[in-house]
Each structure stands twice: as C-alpha cells, then as structure tokens.
Amino acid sequence: MKIIIINGPNLNLLGKREPEIYGNMTFADYFSELKQRYPSVALEYYQSNIEGELIDKIQQVGFSYDGIILNAAAYTHTSVGIGDAVNAIATPVIEVHISNTFARETFRHQSFVSANAKGIIIGFGLKSYELALQSFL
Ligand code: DQA
C-alpha cells in the first residue's frame, strides 16, 4: 500500500513552532516512528511552503497512490486551487490537522479541502496522521 503524507506551509517548523499548539516533536522524528510502526506500508512524506508545489505533488501522486494524508496548513483556509486538485484526482484524501481548528480563530473554521476529502481528522496532535493512516488500512 502506497501512502503519502503531504504537509503545507510552516509545518517544516514543527518542534520549534508554537509548541504549546503543535508540540515539541519534529516531523522528521514523528515520521520515522510512523514508518517503523507500519513497516508494511510504503509511506512517503512531502512538505512545501509553496501552494503550486503542493498542487503539483497532489496531481503527481493522485492517480497512482492508494491514499493521501493532507495537512494543507494555512492553505486549507484559503486555497481554491488545492481544493480543486483534491477534487480532480482519483486517490482518496484524508484531511488532517494537528490542532482543533474549530477551537481557534474563525478564519480557521473554513476549509477548501473538506468537501472533497474522504474524511477529516482534526485536533489529535501528531496522532491525527496515524489515525488517518489507520483509516486507509
Ligand atoms: C494546522 C491548522 C491551520 O489553521 C494552521 O494554519 C496550520 C496548521 C494544524 O495542523 O493544526 O499551519 O493545519
């Protein structure tokens, strides 16, 4: 089973960025734990701070992979282009967020991804990614 985690802007700073919201762990450390825990899954990771690069990656994997775990971060709330890309592909997408976006500012309550996602997992910290992975299994 081929699954990719795609992270959007500023998620390269996990571990340093607002640890009271996002925790102390780097995504590299979390990702290597996840790979060890699910050795039977061909699990990949991609991160970009650039909207068009995220769209390119969604298109690139979106007809051949078994699943995409997408945290589009701030672009979740602004990007019609990412929402359209999720709608355009064949691979199912699970939208994830580390924090509970509904317990935060109102602008974080809107998502251009949700309507086109297979499911949504929000607010379980980094565990959100593992729950999404389990949903594919
Ligand atoms: C986030 C929530 C977004 O509102 C925010 O812009 C992020 C991270 C999360 O995982 O909690 O960068 O997607």
Side-chain angles (χ1 to χ4, degrees):
M1 173 162 280
K2 227 170 160 181
I3 307 278
I4 186 167
I5 295 174
I6 300 179
N7 270 348
N10 302 306
L11 293 173
N12 54 314
L13 295 180
L14 287 175
K16 288 188 217 159
R17 171 194 185 196
E18 299 172 274
E20 66 289 354
I21 297 176
Y22 299 111
N24 293 302
M25 197 171 196
T26 67
F27 200 80
D29 285 348
Y30 179 72
F31 183 67
S32 71
E33 269 188 25
L34 211 53
K35 275 183 81 104
Q36 275 172 23
R37 233 174 280 154
Y38 298 88
S40 63
V41 181
L43 191 59
E44 290 174 31
Y45 171 54
Y46 177 80
Q47 190 275 333
S48 176
N49 292 322
I50 299 166
E51 186 176 9
E53 286 185 356
L54 293 164
I55 293 170
D56 282 346
K57 180 53 83 176
I58 291 166
Q59 291 184 5
Q60 205 181 88
V61 299
F63 295 91
S64 53
Y65 283 46
D66 300 299
I68 298 174
I69 298 168
L70 175 64
N71 185 348
Y75 289 140
T76 306
H77 318 301
T78 61
S79 177
V80 173
I82 291 177
D84 280 355
V86 169
N87 203 25
I89 59 171
T91 298
V93 173
I94 307 289
E95 175 182 356
V96 305
H97 296 285
I98 299 165
S99 64
N100 179 356
T101 46
F102 291 99
R104 300 180 65 191
E105 302 94 322
T106 334
F107 66 83
R108 293 184 205 277
H109 300 183
Q110 171 168 18
S111 166
F112 285 101
V113 175
S114 300
N116 302 320
K118 185 175 179 224
I120 306 164
I121 299 173
I122 295 178
F124 293 92
L126 289 174
K127 182 106 186 157
S128 294
Y129 293 92
E130 185 176 2
L131 295 171
L133 181 57
Q134 284 174 357
S135 80
F136 283 122
L137 301 175

PDB file of all heavy atoms in Angstrom, residues 88-118:
ATOM      1  N   ALA A  88      -9.981  16.795  -8.222  1.00  0.00           N
ATOM      2  CA  ALA A  88      -9.640  16.353  -9.588  1.00  0.00           C
ATOM      3  C   ALA A  88      -9.021  14.962  -9.643  1.00  0.00           C
ATOM      4  O   ALA A  88      -9.029  14.322 -10.689  1.00  0.00           O
ATOM      5  CB  ALA A  88      -8.669  17.359 -10.210  1.00  0.00           C
ATOM      6  N   ILE A  89      -8.469  14.500  -8.527  1.00  0.00           N
ATOM      7  CA  ILE A  89      -7.688  13.250  -8.562  1.00  0.00           C
ATOM      8  C   ILE A  89      -8.542  12.036  -8.194  1.00  0.00           C
ATOM      9  O   ILE A  89      -9.670  12.179  -7.697  1.00  0.00           O
ATOM     10  CB  ILE A  89      -6.464  13.348  -7.611  1.00  0.00           C
ATOM     11  CG1 ILE A  89      -6.909  13.614  -6.177  1.00  0.00           C
ATOM     12  CG2 ILE A  89      -5.484  14.404  -8.112  1.00  0.00           C
ATOM     13  CD1 ILE A  89      -5.816  13.518  -5.144  1.00  0.00           C
ATOM     14  N   ALA A  90      -7.956  10.854  -8.422  1.00  0.00           N
ATOM     15  CA  ALA A  90      -8.682   9.610  -8.123  1.00  0.00           C
ATOM     16  C   ALA A  90      -8.345   9.076  -6.732  1.00  0.00           C
ATOM     17  O   ALA A  90      -9.147   8.371  -6.113  1.00  0.00           O
ATOM     18  CB  ALA A  90      -8.326   8.566  -9.175  1.00  0.00           C
ATOM     19  N   THR A  91      -7.145   9.368  -6.244  1.00  0.00           N
ATOM     20  CA  THR A  91      -6.696   8.848  -4.941  1.00  0.00           C
ATOM     21  C   THR A  91      -7.477   9.512  -3.801  1.00  0.00           C
ATOM     22  O   THR A  91      -7.605  10.745  -3.789  1.00  0.00           O
ATOM     23  CB  THR A  91      -5.180   9.135  -4.769  1.00  0.00           C
ATOM     24  OG1 THR A  91      -4.477   8.433  -5.798  1.00  0.00           O
ATOM     25  CG2 THR A  91      -4.659   8.704  -3.416  1.00  0.00           C
ATOM     26  N   PRO A  92      -7.992   8.701  -2.847  1.00  0.00           N
ATOM     27  CA  PRO A  92      -8.703   9.314  -1.713  1.00  0.00           C
ATOM     28  C   PRO A  92      -7.773  10.132  -0.813  1.00  0.00           C
ATOM     29  O   PRO A  92      -6.628   9.749  -0.585  1.00  0.00           O
ATOM     30  CB  PRO A  92      -9.281   8.112  -0.956  1.00  0.00           C
ATOM     31  CG  PRO A  92      -8.579   6.911  -1.468  1.00  0.00           C
ATOM     32  CD  PRO A  92      -8.013   7.235  -2.814  1.00  0.00           C
ATOM     33  N   VAL A  93      -8.310  11.223  -0.319  1.00  0.00           N
ATOM     34  CA  VAL A  93      -7.547  12.149   0.535  1.00  0.00           C
ATOM     35  C   VAL A  93      -8.196  12.210   1.916  1.00  0.00           C
ATOM     36  O   VAL A  93      -9.412  12.396   2.024  1.00  0.00           O
ATOM     37  CB  VAL A  93      -7.532  13.561  -0.087  1.00  0.00           C
ATOM     38  CG1 VAL A  93      -6.895  14.578   0.854  1.00  0.00           C
ATOM     39  CG2 VAL A  93      -6.812  13.550  -1.435  1.00  0.00           C
ATOM     40  N   ILE A  94      -7.386  12.049   2.950  1.00  0.00           N
ATOM     41  CA  ILE A  94      -7.853  12.330   4.307  1.00  0.00           C
ATOM     42  C   ILE A  94      -7.239  13.670   4.716  1.00  0.00           C
ATOM     43  O   ILE A  94      -6.012  13.839   4.680  1.00  0.00           O
ATOM     44  CB  ILE A  94      -7.404  11.253   5.334  1.00  0.00           C
ATOM     45  CG1 ILE A  94      -7.786   9.835   4.893  1.00  0.00           C
ATOM     46  CG2 ILE A  94      -7.969  11.568   6.719  1.00  0.00           C
ATOM     47  CD1 ILE A  94      -9.245   9.505   4.938  1.00  0.00           C
ATOM     48  N   GLU A  95      -8.082  14.614   5.081  1.00  0.00           N
ATOM     49  CA  GLU A  95      -7.606  15.917   5.566  1.00  0.00           C
ATOM     50  C   GLU A  95      -7.269  15.785   7.043  1.00  0.00           C
ATOM     51  O   GLU A  95      -8.081  15.249   7.815  1.00  0.00           O
ATOM     52  CB  GLU A  95      -8.718  16.965   5.381  1.00  0.00           C
ATOM     53  CG  GLU A  95      -8.366  18.323   5.979  1.00  0.00           C
ATOM     54  CD  GLU A  95      -9.488  19.352   5.831  1.00  0.00           C
ATOM     55  OE1 GLU A  95     -10.530  19.053   5.188  1.00  0.00           O
ATOM     56  OE2 GLU A  95      -9.330  20.463   6.385  1.00  0.00           O
ATOM     57  N   VAL A  96      -6.102  16.230   7.437  1.00  0.00           N
ATOM     58  CA  VAL A  96      -5.765  16.203   8.863  1.00  0.00           C
ATOM     59  C   VAL A  96      -5.306  17.577   9.342  1.00  0.00           C
ATOM     60  O   VAL A  96      -4.765  18.369   8.572  1.00  0.00           O
ATOM     61  CB  VAL A  96      -4.665  15.159   9.222  1.00  0.00           C
ATOM     62  CG1 VAL A  96      -5.018  13.771   8.761  1.00  0.00           C
ATOM     63  CG2 VAL A  96      -3.308  15.544   8.713  1.00  0.00           C
ATOM     64  N   HIS A  97      -5.538  17.803  10.633  1.00  0.00           N
ATOM     65  CA  HIS A  97      -4.980  18.974  11.311  1.00  0.00           C
ATOM     66  C   HIS A  97      -4.502  18.545  12.690  1.00  0.00           C
ATOM     67  O   HIS A  97      -5.150  17.715  13.350  1.00  0.00           O
ATOM     68  CB  HIS A  97      -6.013  20.095  11.434  1.00  0.00           C
ATOM     69  CG  HIS A  97      -6.426  20.603  10.098  1.00  0.00           C
ATOM     70  ND1 HIS A  97      -5.619  21.410   9.327  1.00  0.00           N
ATOM     71  CD2 HIS A  97      -7.531  20.359   9.361  1.00  0.00           C
ATOM     72  CE1 HIS A  97      -6.223  21.643   8.178  1.00  0.00           C
ATOM     73  NE2 HIS A  97      -7.390  21.022   8.167  1.00  0.00           N
ATOM     74  N   ILE A  98      -3.391  19.105  13.094  1.00  0.00           N
ATOM     75  CA  ILE A  98      -2.795  18.780  14.394  1.00  0.00           C
ATOM     76  C   ILE A  98      -3.644  19.405  15.512  1.00  0.00           C
ATOM     77  O   ILE A  98      -3.999  18.750  16.489  1.00  0.00           O
ATOM     78  CB  ILE A  98      -1.338  19.307  14.439  1.00  0.00           C
ATOM     79  CG1 ILE A  98      -0.506  18.628  13.343  1.00  0.00           C
ATOM     80  CG2 ILE A  98      -0.726  19.105  15.826  1.00  0.00           C
ATOM     81  CD1 ILE A  98       0.822  19.321  13.050  1.00  0.00           C
ATOM     82  N   SER A  99      -3.940  20.678  15.342  1.00  0.00           N
ATOM     83  CA  SER A  99      -4.743  21.386  16.339  1.00  0.00           C
ATOM     84  C   SER A  99      -6.225  21.282  15.993  1.00  0.00           C
ATOM     85  O   SER A  99      -6.577  20.992  14.848  1.00  0.00           O
ATOM     86  CB  SER A  99      -4.318  22.864  16.390  1.00  0.00           C
ATOM     87  OG  SER A  99      -4.593  23.488  15.138  1.00  0.00           O
ATOM     88  N   ASN A 100      -7.067  21.550  16.981  1.00  0.00           N
ATOM     89  CA  ASN A 100      -8.507  21.609  16.715  1.00  0.00           C
ATOM     90  C   ASN A 100      -8.824  22.978  16.135  1.00  0.00           C
ATOM     91  O   ASN A 100      -9.004  23.952  16.864  1.00  0.00           O
ATOM     92  CB  ASN A 100      -9.300  21.357  18.003  1.00  0.00           C
ATOM     93  CG  ASN A 100     -10.794  21.439  17.756  1.00  0.00           C
ATOM     94  OD1 ASN A 100     -11.241  21.748  16.648  1.00  0.00           O
ATOM     95  ND2 ASN A 100     -11.571  21.172  18.782  1.00  0.00           N
ATOM     96  N   THR A 101      -8.896  23.032  14.818  1.00  0.00           N
ATOM     97  CA  THR A 101      -9.068  24.313  14.128  1.00  0.00           C
ATOM     98  C   THR A 101     -10.388  24.999  14.516  1.00  0.00           C
ATOM     99  O   THR A 101     -10.496  26.211  14.445  1.00  0.00           O
ATOM    100  CB  THR A 101      -9.008  24.097  12.605  1.00  0.00           C
ATOM    101  OG1 THR A 101      -9.830  22.975  12.271  1.00  0.00           O
ATOM    102  CG2 THR A 101      -7.586  23.809  12.152  1.00  0.00           C
ATOM    103  N   PHE A 102     -11.364  24.196  14.959  1.00  0.00           N
ATOM    104  CA  PHE A 102     -12.663  24.784  15.339  1.00  0.00           C
ATOM    105  C   PHE A 102     -12.632  25.434  16.713  1.00  0.00           C
ATOM    106  O   PHE A 102     -13.541  26.173  17.074  1.00  0.00           O
ATOM    107  CB  PHE A 102     -13.771  23.729  15.257  1.00  0.00           C
ATOM    108  CG  PHE A 102     -14.033  23.334  13.840  1.00  0.00           C
ATOM    109  CD1 PHE A 102     -13.483  22.184  13.311  1.00  0.00           C
ATOM    110  CD2 PHE A 102     -14.786  24.151  13.005  1.00  0.00           C
ATOM    111  CE1 PHE A 102     -13.691  21.834  11.982  1.00  0.00           C
ATOM    112  CE2 PHE A 102     -14.999  23.820  11.674  1.00  0.00           C
ATOM    113  CZ  PHE A 102     -14.447  22.659  11.160  1.00  0.00           C
ATOM    114  N   ALA A 103     -11.571  25.158  17.473  1.00  0.00           N
ATOM    115  CA  ALA A 103     -11.425  25.798  18.781  1.00  0.00           C
ATOM    116  C   ALA A 103     -10.540  27.047  18.670  1.00  0.00           C
ATOM    117  O   ALA A 103     -10.191  27.657  19.673  1.00  0.00           O
ATOM    118  CB  ALA A 103     -10.804  24.809  19.763  1.00  0.00           C
ATOM    119  N   ARG A 104     -10.182  27.399  17.428  1.00  0.00           N
ATOM    120  CA  ARG A 104      -9.273  28.535  17.212  1.00  0.00           C
ATOM    121  C   ARG A 104     -10.005  29.667  16.475  1.00  0.00           C
ATOM    122  O   ARG A 104     -11.225  29.723  16.496  1.00  0.00           O
ATOM    123  CB  ARG A 104      -8.032  28.030  16.463  1.00  0.00           C
ATOM    124  CG  ARG A 104      -7.297  26.937  17.262  1.00  0.00           C
ATOM    125  CD  ARG A 104      -6.064  26.421  16.552  1.00  0.00           C
ATOM    126  NE  ARG A 104      -5.059  27.454  16.410  1.00  0.00           N
ATOM    127  CZ  ARG A 104      -3.974  27.329  15.632  1.00  0.00           C
ATOM    128  NH1 ARG A 104      -3.772  26.220  14.934  1.00  0.00           N
ATOM    129  NH2 ARG A 104      -3.090  28.311  15.560  1.00  0.00           N
ATOM    130  N   GLU A 105      -9.242  30.561  15.847  1.00  0.00           N
ATOM    131  CA  GLU A 105      -9.866  31.725  15.195  1.00  0.00           C
ATOM    132  C   GLU A 105     -10.889  31.274  14.127  1.00  0.00           C
ATOM    133  O   GLU A 105     -10.729  30.240  13.491  1.00  0.00           O
ATOM    134  CB  GLU A 105      -8.796  32.590  14.494  1.00  0.00           C
ATOM    135  CG  GLU A 105      -7.695  33.096  15.395  1.00  0.00           C
ATOM    136  CD  GLU A 105      -6.463  32.194  15.393  1.00  0.00           C
ATOM    137  OE1 GLU A 105      -6.610  30.953  15.352  1.00  0.00           O
ATOM    138  OE2 GLU A 105      -5.365  32.747  15.473  1.00  0.00           O
ATOM    139  N   THR A 106     -11.885  32.139  13.893  1.00  0.00           N
ATOM    140  CA  THR A 106     -12.963  31.803  12.949  1.00  0.00           C
ATOM    141  C   THR A 106     -12.434  31.532  11.542  1.00  0.00           C
ATOM    142  O   THR A 106     -12.988  30.690  10.835  1.00  0.00           O
ATOM    143  CB  THR A 106     -13.986  32.966  12.871  1.00  0.00           C
ATOM    144  OG1 THR A 106     -13.938  33.692  14.081  1.00  0.00           O
ATOM    145  CG2 THR A 106     -15.373  32.474  12.615  1.00  0.00           C
ATOM    146  N   PHE A 107     -11.364  32.247  11.142  1.00  0.00           N
ATOM    147  CA  PHE A 107     -10.880  32.009   9.770  1.00  0.00           C
ATOM    148  C   PHE A 107     -10.362  30.591   9.579  1.00  0.00           C
ATOM    149  O   PHE A 107     -10.258  30.108   8.460  1.00  0.00           O
ATOM    150  CB  PHE A 107      -9.825  33.052   9.345  1.00  0.00           C
ATOM    151  CG  PHE A 107      -8.514  33.003  10.106  1.00  0.00           C
ATOM    152  CD1 PHE A 107      -7.522  32.105   9.728  1.00  0.00           C
ATOM    153  CD2 PHE A 107      -8.265  33.849  11.176  1.00  0.00           C
ATOM    154  CE1 PHE A 107      -6.306  32.049  10.398  1.00  0.00           C
ATOM    155  CE2 PHE A 107      -7.060  33.800  11.862  1.00  0.00           C
ATOM    156  CZ  PHE A 107      -6.078  32.900  11.483  1.00  0.00           C
ATOM    157  N   ARG A 108     -10.071  29.905  10.686  1.00  0.00           N
ATOM    158  CA  ARG A 108      -9.600  28.510  10.571  1.00  0.00           C
ATOM    159  C   ARG A 108     -10.772  27.513  10.507  1.00  0.00           C
ATOM    160  O   ARG A 108     -10.560  26.314  10.388  1.00  0.00           O
ATOM    161  CB  ARG A 108      -8.697  28.151  11.760  1.00  0.00           C
ATOM    162  CG  ARG A 108      -7.395  28.909  11.783  1.00  0.00           C
ATOM    163  CD  ARG A 108      -6.493  28.442  12.914  1.00  0.00           C
ATOM    164  NE  ARG A 108      -5.578  29.487  13.306  1.00  0.00           N
ATOM    165  CZ  ARG A 108      -4.419  29.758  12.695  1.00  0.00           C
ATOM    166  NH1 ARG A 108      -4.012  29.024  11.684  1.00  0.00           N
ATOM    167  NH2 ARG A 108      -3.648  30.752  13.099  1.00  0.00           N
ATOM    168  N   HIS A 109     -11.999  28.005  10.605  1.00  0.00           N
ATOM    169  CA  HIS A 109     -13.159  27.110  10.579  1.00  0.00           C
ATOM    170  C   HIS A 109     -13.538  26.727   9.144  1.00  0.00           C
ATOM    171  O   HIS A 109     -14.281  25.794   8.924  1.00  0.00           O
ATOM    172  CB  HIS A 109     -14.368  27.748  11.268  1.00  0.00           C
ATOM    173  CG  HIS A 109     -14.129  28.074  12.705  1.00  0.00           C
ATOM    174  ND1 HIS A 109     -15.090  28.600  13.524  1.00  0.00           N
ATOM    175  CD2 HIS A 109     -13.017  27.960  13.491  1.00  0.00           C
ATOM    176  CE1 HIS A 109     -14.591  28.800  14.734  1.00  0.00           C
ATOM    177  NE2 HIS A 109     -13.330  28.419  14.735  1.00  0.00           N
ATOM    178  N   GLN A 110     -13.036  27.525   8.183  1.00  0.00           N
ATOM    179  CA  GLN A 110     -13.348  27.230   6.783  1.00  0.00           C
ATOM    180  C   GLN A 110     -12.251  26.360   6.171  1.00  0.00           C
ATOM    181  O   GLN A 110     -11.069  26.572   6.424  1.00  0.00           O
ATOM    182  CB  GLN A 110     -13.447  28.527   5.986  1.00  0.00           C
ATOM    183  CG  GLN A 110     -13.561  28.240   4.499  1.00  0.00           C
ATOM    184  CD  GLN A 110     -13.948  29.433   3.680  1.00  0.00           C
ATOM    185  OE1 GLN A 110     -13.834  30.566   4.114  1.00  0.00           O
ATOM    186  NE2 GLN A 110     -14.396  29.195   2.460  1.00  0.00           N
ATOM    187  N   SER A 111     -12.661  25.373   5.368  1.00  0.00           N
ATOM    188  CA  SER A 111     -11.678  24.548   4.658  1.00  0.00           C
ATOM    189  C   SER A 111     -12.121  24.366   3.216  1.00  0.00           C
ATOM    190  O   SER A 111     -13.273  24.025   2.949  1.00  0.00           O
ATOM    191  CB  SER A 111     -11.561  23.177   5.317  1.00  0.00           C
ATOM    192  OG  SER A 111     -10.862  22.288   4.469  1.00  0.00           O
ATOM    193  N   PHE A 112     -11.185  24.605   2.291  1.00  0.00           N
ATOM    194  CA  PHE A 112     -11.464  24.340   0.874  1.00  0.00           C
ATOM    195  C   PHE A 112     -11.174  22.891   0.510  1.00  0.00           C
ATOM    196  O   PHE A 112     -11.381  22.488  -0.619  1.00  0.00           O
ATOM    197  CB  PHE A 112     -10.644  25.290  -0.015  1.00  0.00           C
ATOM    198  CG  PHE A 112     -11.189  26.694  -0.021  1.00  0.00           C
ATOM    199  CD1 PHE A 112     -10.610  27.691   0.748  1.00  0.00           C
ATOM    200  CD2 PHE A 112     -12.300  27.011  -0.790  1.00  0.00           C
ATOM    201  CE1 PHE A 112     -11.118  28.982   0.749  1.00  0.00           C
ATOM    202  CE2 PHE A 112     -12.819  28.298  -0.796  1.00  0.00           C
ATOM    203  CZ  PHE A 112     -12.227  29.291  -0.019  1.00  0.00           C
ATOM    204  N   VAL A 113     -10.663  22.121   1.495  1.00  0.00           N
ATOM    205  CA  VAL A 113     -10.307  20.719   1.260  1.00  0.00           C
ATOM    206  C   VAL A 113     -11.450  19.787   1.669  1.00  0.00           C
ATOM    207  O   VAL A 113     -11.749  18.807   0.983  1.00  0.00           O
ATOM    208  CB  VAL A 113      -9.014  20.362   2.048  1.00  0.00           C
ATOM    209  CG1 VAL A 113      -8.682  18.874   1.931  1.00  0.00           C
ATOM    210  CG2 VAL A 113      -7.834  21.214   1.577  1.00  0.00           C
ATOM    211  N   SER A 114     -12.113  20.109   2.795  1.00  0.00           N
ATOM    212  CA  SER A 114     -13.050  19.167   3.436  1.00  0.00           C
ATOM    213  C   SER A 114     -14.099  18.571   2.510  1.00  0.00           C
ATOM    214  O   SER A 114     -14.340  17.361   2.555  1.00  0.00           O
ATOM    215  CB  SER A 114     -13.786  19.859   4.586  1.00  0.00           C
ATOM    216  OG  SER A 114     -12.871  20.312   5.542  1.00  0.00           O
ATOM    217  N   ALA A 115     -14.714  19.406   1.684  1.00  0.00           N
ATOM    218  CA  ALA A 115     -15.834  18.920   0.859  1.00  0.00           C
ATOM    219  C   ALA A 115     -15.383  17.849  -0.122  1.00  0.00           C
ATOM    220  O   ALA A 115     -16.189  17.025  -0.554  1.00  0.00           O
ATOM    221  CB  ALA A 115     -16.467  20.086   0.101  1.00  0.00           C
ATOM    222  N   ASN A 116     -14.097  17.875  -0.456  1.00  0.00           N
ATOM    223  CA  ASN A 116     -13.580  16.916  -1.443  1.00  0.00           C
ATOM    224  C   ASN A 116     -12.768  15.794  -0.802  1.00  0.00           C
ATOM    225  O   ASN A 116     -12.223  14.945  -1.508  1.00  0.00           O
ATOM    226  CB  ASN A 116     -12.722  17.650  -2.479  1.00  0.00           C
ATOM    227  CG  ASN A 116     -13.522  18.738  -3.179  1.00  0.00           C
ATOM    228  OD1 ASN A 116     -14.686  18.536  -3.487  1.00  0.00           O
ATOM    229  ND2 ASN A 116     -12.923  19.885  -3.382  1.00  0.00           N
ATOM    230  N   ALA A 117     -12.687  15.806   0.533  1.00  0.00           N
ATOM    231  CA  ALA A 117     -11.909  14.769   1.230  1.00  0.00           C
ATOM    232  C   ALA A 117     -12.790  13.564   1.518  1.00  0.00           C
ATOM    233  O   ALA A 117     -14.016  13.671   1.614  1.00  0.00           O
ATOM    234  CB  ALA A 117     -11.356  15.333   2.532  1.00  0.00           C
ATOM    235  N   LYS A 118     -12.127  12.406   1.656  1.00  0.00           N
ATOM    236  CA  LYS A 118     -12.867  11.201   2.034  1.00  0.00           C
ATOM    237  C   LYS A 118     -13.262  11.279   3.500  1.00  0.00           C
ATOM    238  O   LYS A 118     -14.315  10.792   3.923  1.00  0.00           O
ATOM    239  CB  LYS A 118     -11.972   9.992   1.788  1.00  0.00           C
ATOM    240  CG  LYS A 118     -12.650   8.681   2.026  1.00  0.00           C
ATOM    241  CD  LYS A 118     -11.769   7.526   1.643  1.00  0.00           C
ATOM    242  CE  LYS A 118     -12.499   6.225   1.932  1.00  0.00           C
ATOM    243  NZ  LYS A 118     -11.628   5.256   2.574  1.00  0.00           N
TER     244      LYS A 118
END
